[in-house]
Amino acid sequence: MKQTSSQTVKLLNEERALLMSLAAKRDASYSDVLRLGLYQLATLDGLHAQMTQAVWARIEHVLEVEAVWEGVRVNDRAAAHHSADASTHTVVQTGGI
């Protein structure tokens, strides 16, 4: 999976309120709103290649995360199915005694 970093961003209360409003209006996370602003600034400053590279890195990251979650869901279903089979098996054995 791609390496990610976390950065603390210091905002004024008014800026935080604006960020919260934008995120709520777009049903997005704070990170998504900040990321979109980053992409827009990069485009305005003519950093098309870097912006495209960053967007593709984000897409690849989302696909990797999705694959991990799909694997977890498949594993969870298999574990639940196995657990249900074991419970049924136990009940049948106990009921037969």
Side-chain angles (χ1 to χ4, degrees):
M1 201 173 303
K2 287 207 165 286
Q3 182 178 357
T4 60
S5 65
S6 178
Q7 181 69 32
T8 300
V9 178
K10 296 188 187 255
L11 298 171
L12 297 172
N13 289 337
E14 294 83 359
E15 292 167 331
R16 184 173 289 111
L18 177 60
L19 179 60
M20 290 172 62
S21 295
L22 285 168
K25 183 177 181 177
R26 297 177 180 273
D27 193 27
S29 70
Y30 300 159
S31 295
D32 292 337
V33 173
L34 293 173
R35 191 173 296 111
L36 286 171
L38 173 68
Y39 295 159
Q40 286 180 336
L41 282 173
T43 300
L44 288 173
D45 285 350
L47 302 173
H48 300 287
Q50 295 92 326
M51 191 271 303
T52 300
Q53 182 180 7
V55 168
W56 277 110
R58 174 58 53 186
I59 291 168
E60 290 172 6
H61 175 73
V62 169
L63 292 173
E64 289 172 1
V65 169
E66 181 182 47
V68 168
W69 277 105
E70 284 299 319
V72 168
R73 287 188 199 132
V74 169
N75 291 340
D76 286 349
R77 278 190 228 129
H81 182 64
H82 178 71
S83 177
D85 286 347
S87 298
T88 304
H89 185 65
T90 303
V91 169
V92 169
Q93 286 181 335
T94 314
I97 294 179

